[in-house]
Amino acid sequence: MSNTSLNETHFDDDHFRDECGVFGVLDHPEAANLTYLGLYALQHRGQESTGIISTDGTNFNNHRGMGLVSDVYQKEDIVKLEGRIAIGHVRYSTAGDLGLRNCQPFMYQYAHGGIAMCHNGNIVNAEALRKGLEKDGSIFQSTSDTEVIIHLLAKSSGNSTRERLTDAVKQLEGGFSVLLMTETRLFGARDPNGIRPLVLGKLDGSWVMASETCAFDLVGADFVRDVEAGELVVVDPDGTLRSYFPFEKPAIKFCVFEYVYFARPDSTLEGVNVYQARHNIGVELAKESYVDADMVIPVPDSGVPPAMGFALEAGIPFQMGLIRNHYVGRTFIEPKQSIRNFGVKLKLNPNRDMIAGKRVILVDDSIVRGTTSRKIVEMVRAAGATEIHMRISSPPTKHSCFYGINTPTSEELMANQMNLDEMCKAIGADSLAFVSNEGLFKAVGKPRELHCDACFSGDYPVPVNEKRSPQLSLLRYYDKRPS
C-alpha cells in the first residue's frame, strides 16, 4: 500500500458505540449557540455527523454535516440559525450507512406545519413499521428510524402535535429518547423502559433537554430532573412544562453500560454520578479479583476511574503507564511497511521506563472482540512488563445490544465464544477477571431490576430477534428494494 494514500480506520472498533446524543432548548435568544455548545459536550456520543435546526417561529433554519462539531460549524453557520428554539444531534453511523442523508435532525413540512425531530436509540420494529408505511404510500429519504417516527406522526389523526407524537411513540418498540420541535413548542419523549437517557434543565428561565447533564454544565444550565421512563414532556411558548405518560406500564430499565463506558464521567444519570459509579466498580473488582502486582495501569480514558478505585482498594500504586494521543483523527497516512499493532499504537503508547521489569494490572472497561485487548497486552509485554493481569470493569459481554448501541453480533463477541481461561490465553495475559454482576450493581448503588443489562445477561426488556441486527436489517431492506 502506498505511503501517500489516505486511509480511514476505526482504532476503537473493538469498543461498543453509542450512536447518538441530543440537545434542545426553547425560548432563549442564543438557542442555536447553546445547542452547538451542548453538542460539543456530547461529542463522545457520536463523531460521524451532526446537525442543528432552529426556528424563529415562522421559518426553520438548519445546518448539518459529516464530522466533528468543531469541524462542521463555523461562526457564520451559527449566526444563520436564527430563532429562540433549536434542537441538535450528534451520531455514529451504522454499517452500510449512507452518510449525510441520515444526518439528523430531520425537518419536514406537513399538513399541520413544520416539525423537526432527532432521536437517540434504536427501534427494533422499525423494519415492520417502514414496510407498512411504504405500502400505504409513504416515501423515505433516509434509512434512519427517526424518519419512521415522523411518518407515523404525520399519519396520525390526533388533534394536536402532542396527540400525534403520542400515537407515534406508542407504536415503537425499543430504546429511544426523542426530541421534536414545532415553530412554537419543544417536545421530549423517552421509551417506556427508559433505556436511553434524557435529562431536563433550566437556563435563564428557559427549558433545555439533553442526553447527559455534562451538556448542562458547559452552557451553565441547572439540572432539574431526568425525564422519566415512558414520559412525554411538552414545553409551551410561555415556558410551561406539561408532563404525560402515554404508555400503560412504564418501568425503568436504564442501560447500565452508560455507567460503564458510554456516558461522560462528569455526568449524573438517574441519580448516579458516572465517575463515582466507575470508581466504585474498580473497588468491587479489587475485592473480587485481587492479585499482587507493582502497579495498576488504566486503559485510557474510560479505564481511569475504575483503575483508581482498584488501586485504592488493593493498596497498589496507580500509574499512567499508557499514554494516550488525544490528537488522533480518523484519517492518516499509513506507513509503507507494516508496523505491528499500528492502529492501537497510533492512539496509545506504553511508558517503557515505568513498566519494564514490573508486574502490571491493566484495567479496561470491556472486552468486545478481544482484538484491542490482545494488542494492548502485546504492547505492554514488549515494553518489558514481567506479568500482565487484565481486569475488566464490566461483566463479560456475551450478547448484542439492539437498543441504540452499534455492536457486533453475538458470534463476534469473545465472551460468547470462549470461557475465561480461553479468553485469557487469547489476549496473552497472565490472568483475566471481570467484575461480577453483583459487584457491578453494588457499585452503581441501585438494583439490577432497574437496569437493562442484556449485553451481559441476554435478558432483553424488549423482545428482539438476536439472530440479526435491526439496524442492518433495515439498511438491507432499504437497499434491496426495487428502484
Side-chain angles (χ1 to χ4, degrees):
M1 188 173 291
S2 169
N3 65 348
T4 58
S5 63
L6 291 178
N7 295 276
E8 191 176 80
T9 191
H10 298 260
F11 334 102
D12 260 350
D13 64 358
D14 198 29
H15 276 101
F16 286 159
R17 287 301 189 201
D18 198 332
E19 290 169 4
C20 304
V22 298
F23 187 94
V25 57
L26 181 137
D27 193 28
H28 197 283
E30 294 190 75
N33 199 38
L34 291 175
T35 302
Y36 161 74
L37 293 172
L39 296 181
Y40 226 112
L42 298 172
Q43 185 74 86
H44 60 286
R45 300 189 73 89
Q47 299 176 16
E48 298 285 351
S49 66
T50 178
I52 296 174
I53 295 180
S54 68
T55 180
D56 58 9
T58 303
N59 301 308
F60 281 6
N61 311 288
N62 81 92
H63 186 81
R64 301 184 299 164
M66 304 299 295
L68 300 176
V69 171
S70 58
D71 297 327
V72 170
Y73 306 102
Q74 303 302 317
K75 184 176 182 180
E76 56 269 24
D77 300 321
I78 302 299
V79 170
K80 293 176 183 177
L81 295 171
E82 298 177 345
R84 299 178 67 91
I85 311 176
I87 60 173
H89 189 265
V90 291
R91 77 184 290 267
Y92 274 110
S93 61
T94 54
D97 200 281
L98 296 178
L100 191 57
R101 77 173 183 179
N102 285 318
C103 180
Q104 300 180 43
F106 292 139
M107 177 176 63
Y108 288 90
Q109 289 287 330
Y110 76 128
H112 302 282
I115 54 171
M117 181 186 291
C118 57
H119 100 290
N120 168 30
N122 196 67
I123 312 304
V124 299
N125 63 333
E127 179 183 350
L129 292 170
R130 187 187 198 95
K131 286 180 177 178
L133 289 164
E134 290 190 330
K135 185 177 180 181
D136 291 339
S138 294
I139 298 174
F140 288 80
Q141 66 179 22
S142 76
T143 59
S144 171
D145 296 351
T146 307
E147 198 174 7
V148 173
I149 306 173
I150 290 172
H151 280 279
L152 292 174
L153 181 148
K155 286 176 62 66
S156 169
S157 59
N159 295 319
S160 65
T161 303
R162 192 263 303 175
E163 292 178 359
R164 289 186 284 274
L165 181 58
T166 295
D167 288 346
V169 298
K170 287 177 71 174
Q171 298 178 62
L172 307 179
E173 298 173 5
F176 55 86
S177 292
V178 175
L179 288 187
L180 179 146
M181 75 175 191
T182 65
E183 293 91 341
T184 58
R185 287 177 171 81
L186 180 65
F187 300 76
R190 202 169 170 202
D191 70 83
N193 294 122
I195 296 172
R196 302 265 64 85
L198 189 64
V199 291
L200 277 168
K202 294 206 83 170
L203 174 63
D204 302 329
S206 302
W207 285 101
V208 289
M209 299 188 208
S211 293
E212 295 182 33
T213 61
C214 64
F216 294 165
D217 296 334
L218 180 57
V219 301
D222 295 320
F223 169 71
V224 176
R225 65 177 177 86
D226 295 87
V227 175
E228 296 183 37
E231 184 179 12
L232 168 63
V233 294
V234 183
V235 186
D236 292 328
D238 63 359
T240 300
L241 186 140
R242 294 177 286 136
S243 175
Y244 303 88
F245 288 88
F247 300 97
E248 291 184 6
K249 295 181 179 180
I252 185 70
K253 289 285 184 179
F254 184 61
C255 172
V256 73
F257 220 86
E258 292 280 355
Y259 298 129
V260 173
Y261 177 70
F262 297 134
R264 250 177 54 168
D266 50 336
S267 287
T268 296
L269 299 172
E270 296 296 333
V272 177
N273 177 262
V274 176
Y275 176 89
Q276 190 61 57
R278 291 178 187 170
H279 188 277
N280 293 348
I281 292 172
V283 171
E284 296 303 318
L285 190 55
K287 291 178 180 178
E288 295 176 350
S289 58
Y290 172 86
V291 61
D292 193 22
D294 299 306
M295 64 183 66
V296 178
I297 295 176
V299 178
D301 285 320
S302 53
V304 173
M308 294 178 72
F310 191 107
L312 180 67
E313 177 65 25
I316 299 172
F318 170 92
Q319 300 287 357
M320 292 298 293
L322 288 170
I323 307 304
R324 180 179 177 184
N325 179 359
H326 289 269
Y327 303 98
V328 178
R330 293 182 53 79
T331 304
F332 60 90
I333 301 173
E334 276 197 25
K336 187 173 184 178
Q337 294 183 339
S338 175
I339 295 178
R340 187 170 180 82
N341 300 332
F342 176 69
V344 172
K345 282 186 175 181
L346 208 60
K347 181 178 178 181
L348 296 173
N349 189 49
N351 189 332
R352 291 176 177 272
D353 290 345
M354 178 183 294
I355 291 173
K358 299 297 196 303
R359 299 166 299 165
V360 169
I361 297 172
L362 285 177
V363 180
D364 203 357
D365 59 83
S366 61
I367 293 180
V368 183
R369 294 182 179 91
T371 53
T372 299
S373 297
R374 183 180 69 250
K375 292 173 182 177
I376 291 173
V377 169
E378 287 177 355
M379 285 194 334
V380 175
R381 187 86 68 188
T386 58
E387 295 179 15
I388 301 175
H389 304 278
M390 198 81 178
R391 296 294 181 265
I392 307 299
S393 62
S394 64
T397 304
K398 297 182 178 181
H399 307 275
S400 298
C401 175
F402 298 103
Y403 308 134
I405 310 304
N406 191 16
T407 68
T409 62
S410 292
E411 289 74 17
E412 296 177 274
L413 296 169
M414 178 177 271
N416 184 274
Q417 301 297 307
M418 301 180 183
N419 61 34
L420 189 64
D421 289 340
E422 291 169 336
M423 293 178 71
C424 182
K425 184 177 180 180
I427 66 173
D430 293 284
S431 73
L432 171 65
F434 296 79
V435 73
S436 67
N437 275 42
E438 295 76 17
L440 172 64
F441 289 105
K442 182 179 179 181
V444 170
K446 301 179 83 170
R448 176 177 180 265
E449 291 72 25
L450 297 179
H451 297 88
C452 174
D453 66 348
C455 52
F456 310 136
S457 66
D459 182 12
Y460 292 97
V462 181
V464 296
N465 178 2
E466 196 180 355
K467 297 300 181 183
R468 62 180 182 178
S469 161
Q471 297 103 319
L472 292 179
S473 175
L474 183 57
L475 289 164
R476 288 167 182 159
Y477 161 70
Y478 188 92
D479 291 336
K480 287 181 179 179
R481 294 179 310 161
S483 57

